[in-house]
Amino acid sequence: MKVVVLTGAGISAESGVPTFRDADGLWEGHRFEDVATPEAFEAQPSVVHRFYDARRTALLAVEPNPAHVALARLEEHLGDDLLVVTQNIDDLHERGGSTRVLHMHGELRSALCTGCSGRSEWTGDLGDYPPCPRCGVVGLRPDVVWFGEVPYGMDRILAALGTADLFVSIGTSGAVYPAAGFVQYAATAGARTLELNLVPSEGTHLFDEARHGPAATLVPAWVGELLG
Ligand SMILES: [Zn+2]
């Protein structure tokens, strides 16, 4: 059985990671226009660097929850037949034990060079303008996909959705495209579709089945069912 899992802010929120989807629409007190667009980075690179440097440091204070761990357990059984696509930029899936994770919106623990386009694993700060470890140019930016930029891995994601037997959406609002369109793409290609979310998402009616509650409860239960 081929399975594609899409995860979003909800699964990280249960580990205490703040997101744009909080009730006030801000991300740690910032508007997205000020920290998550190429224009913001061009206008105020130091502000944007400080923001992501703080988010990267904050990862040290959070832990994966039972939903992340359950997906790693599923990967142990399915291997390459499971693809986890995440909209999250934290590293909680990896720390929960998953190895086959596609970060469509980039990763906090990665730096992108505006000189050579190389991506380098990054655990420190970028706000002190270190040189690129690949080409030496001082031009590293957070390796996150900002509003108006193209997500990573779309070809691979669409190929996996096109051959999936099951598509499961976990902790996503169903409001942000292209991810919000994955359910219809998978269903058209013949996959069964399941939503696991705290509350009904905007697209909940598009799924064959929807279960609502905390991911830390729903995901381990679902994985348990699947593995019999
Ligand atoms: Zn470079």
Side-chain angles (χ1 to χ4, degrees), residues 113 116 132 135:
C113 179
C116 71
C132 170
C135 72

Side-chain angles (χ1 to χ4, degrees), residues 49 111-118 120 122 126 128-141:
H49 273 313
L112 175 64
C113 179
T114 56
C116 71
S117 300
S120 302
W122 207 265
L126 291 171
D128 45 3
Y129 297 94
C132 170
R134 296 170 186 271
C135 72
V137 165
V138 175
L140 294 175
R141 55 163 273 185

